[in-house]
Amino acid sequence: MDRVVLGRTGLSVSVAGLGGGGFSQLGLSTGKTPAEAAALVRRAVELRVNFIDTAESYGTEETIREGLRGVPRDAVVLSTKKSAWKNGGPVTAAELVAGLEASLTRLGTDHVDVYHLHGLSPGAYDHAVAEWVPTLQRLKRQGKIRWIGVTESFEKDRGHAMLARAIPDGWPDVVMVGFNILNPSARERVLAPAAAKGIGTLAMFVVRTAFSRPARLTEILADLQDRGILGPGLDPGDDPLGFVTREGGAASLAEAAYRFCRHEPGIHVTLFGTGDTGHLEANVRSLSGPPLPALVLDRLRSAFGAVDDVSGQ
Ligand SMILES: NC(=O)c1ccc[n+]([C@@H]2O[C@H](COP(=O)([O-])OP(=O)(O)OC[C@H]3O[C@@H](n4cnc5c(N)ncnc54)[C@H](OP(=O)(O)O)[C@@H]3O)[C@@H](O)[C@H]2O)c1
């Protein structure tokens, strides 16, 4: 498992990051027991995944604590988050602090490595800068947070409007951004400006539904075609992305999607969410695999280079 430096944080992180959210929530939302979910976390660490992401809202912080029992605290980079919006209104600074304290308790630690504002919308951005960022900066000075992060709400903010403000403003040390084969618009709008500021990047939505459920991919491609957004380059017929696995030497589109992201310049950690140990092991292999061939990347760029309004959900 390759390691990279997470931008200006200086943290040494595995290029594969285990996500505790998404549809699987480490298996807790797909029928696995808490013990099985904790074993999945442990297996990830055995496979040298050292970046683990969760959130107050996922309900997986305690599972991660269980999975990491006996693992030295400094052997993993823990990332968690709080949605700063509830019941239609902003949380107070005191609630943000209380949220962090509760996460620390559930995770069984006295500090998190990256603490994010979770799913910050463009509409809440000014409030975040005025109210929450100073609170996060204070928590950072106190050592409870090592680095400040922000995650976008990619399902709605598919063109990265929030991060297009946050990155030039420079306050986040780390950003979490939606990036995948179907919507690579973060390339110019997020990854390049983040690199210029030394901001660490975490990619989400890399496989999501589009590359784990073939029927959903068919629907998304038909919609892009109908709206005239799809460029040339796909295979004719009923397997338009067949060339990606065939010429990319990938066993599945999920493998190709993870390799696509892993080798995108400017992305540090590719997050994957799963509750399935077989998928975990396959994803670690994929994220240790080679880039897709240049000809495949060229065709993908030609087909999807102008897409900025699908998430792959
Ligand atoms: N705004 C935010 O802050 C935000 C939003 C979304 C996600 N995230 C973070 O990003 C992480 C990744 O989330 P994501 O949902 O976007 O993850 P993802 O890795 O793009 O997609 C995960 C989905 O694909 C399936 N899958 C995983 N590996 C597979 C494989 N090898 N073959 C077939 N299917 C596979 C999983 O189901 P199985 O359980 O069956 O494997 C799950 O349904 C989350 O866990 C969370 O930590 C953050």
Side-chain angles (χ1 to χ4, degrees), residues 4-313:
V4 291
V5 175
L6 185 63
R8 68 192 186 205
T9 72
L11 294 166
S12 173
V13 289
S14 52
V15 295
L18 178 64
F23 298 118
S24 305
Q25 301 188 313
L26 303 174
L28 294 182
S29 60
T30 57
K32 298 281 163 44
T33 64
E36 287 168 326
L40 185 108
V41 174
R42 222 165 11 253
R43 181 73 185 126
V45 173
E46 277 167 18
L47 294 172
R48 307 190 67 76
V49 172
N50 82 333
F51 190 94
I52 302 179
D53 179 63
T54 181
E56 175 185 80
S57 61
Y58 297 165
T60 52
E61 290 175 320
E62 283 160 324
T63 303
I64 289 167
R65 182 187 66 209
E66 279 310 303
L68 295 178
R69 208 169 274 284
V71 174
R73 175 65 185 84
D74 62 0
V76 287
V77 174
L78 287 179
S79 157
T80 192
K81 27 188 141 61
K82 178 170 178 66
S83 171
W85 212 256
K86 72 166 188 198
N87 305 329
V91 300
T92 63
E95 287 172 315
L96 187 58
V97 174
L100 172 67
E101 294 291 352
S103 284
L104 292 175
T105 302
R106 285 188 294 268
L107 285 164
T109 181
D110 61 356
H111 71 282
V112 286
D113 299 289
V114 188
Y115 194 62
H116 307 260
L117 293 177
H118 190 173
L120 186 65
S121 67
Y125 184 79
D126 289 324
H127 189 85
V129 170
E131 300 292 332
W132 298 322
V133 173
T135 304
L136 294 175
Q137 287 167 335
R138 182 163 50 80
L139 291 166
K140 187 174 169 181
R141 285 193 296 276
Q142 292 170 355
K144 296 191 171 184
I145 295 174
R146 286 181 73 189
W147 303 99
I148 295 172
V150 64
T151 80
E152 66 183 359
S153 181
F154 188 50
E155 267 174 74
K156 294 184 186 144
D157 184 10
R158 299 180 290 254
H160 318 290
M162 184 280 292
L163 290 177
R165 294 190 63 193
I167 291 170
D169 287 351
W171 57 267
D173 300 303
V174 178
V175 297
M176 191 182 294
V177 58
F179 182 81
N180 58 41
I181 285 175
L182 303 174
N183 180 350
S185 60
R187 192 172 279 145
E188 280 84 25
R189 297 181 195 174
V190 174
L191 302 178
K197 292 255 181 199
I199 293 173
T201 60
L202 315 170
M204 61 179 168
F205 278 76
V206 177
V207 162
R208 201 69 178 184
T209 320
F211 296 110
S212 58
R213 296 185 206 159
R216 180 64 188 133
L217 179 62
T218 302
E219 278 173 13
I220 294 172
L221 293 179
D223 169 59
L224 291 174
Q225 185 86 56
D226 288 349
R227 290 192 287 138
I229 303 171
L230 206 52
L234 301 188
D235 282 344
D238 59 7
D239 188 14
L241 285 171
F243 69 98
V244 177
T245 46
R246 195 174 57 246
E247 292 168 29
S252 65
L253 272 177
E255 175 189 328
Y258 286 127
R259 283 168 52 200
F260 173 83
C261 185
R262 149 69 186 106
H263 294 285
E264 176 68 26
I267 288 180
H268 296 125
V269 176
T270 299
L271 294 166
F272 64 92
T274 189
D276 179 305
T277 308
H279 286 170
L280 164 73
E281 293 173 354
N283 297 345
V284 167
R285 273 195 305 278
S286 302
L287 288 161
S288 304
L292 295 174
L295 281 175
V296 171
L297 295 175
D298 286 347
R299 286 178 68 178
L300 292 174
R301 193 172 286 115
S302 161
F304 300 110
V307 177
D308 68 356
D309 72 345
V310 298
S311 68
Q313 173 86 312

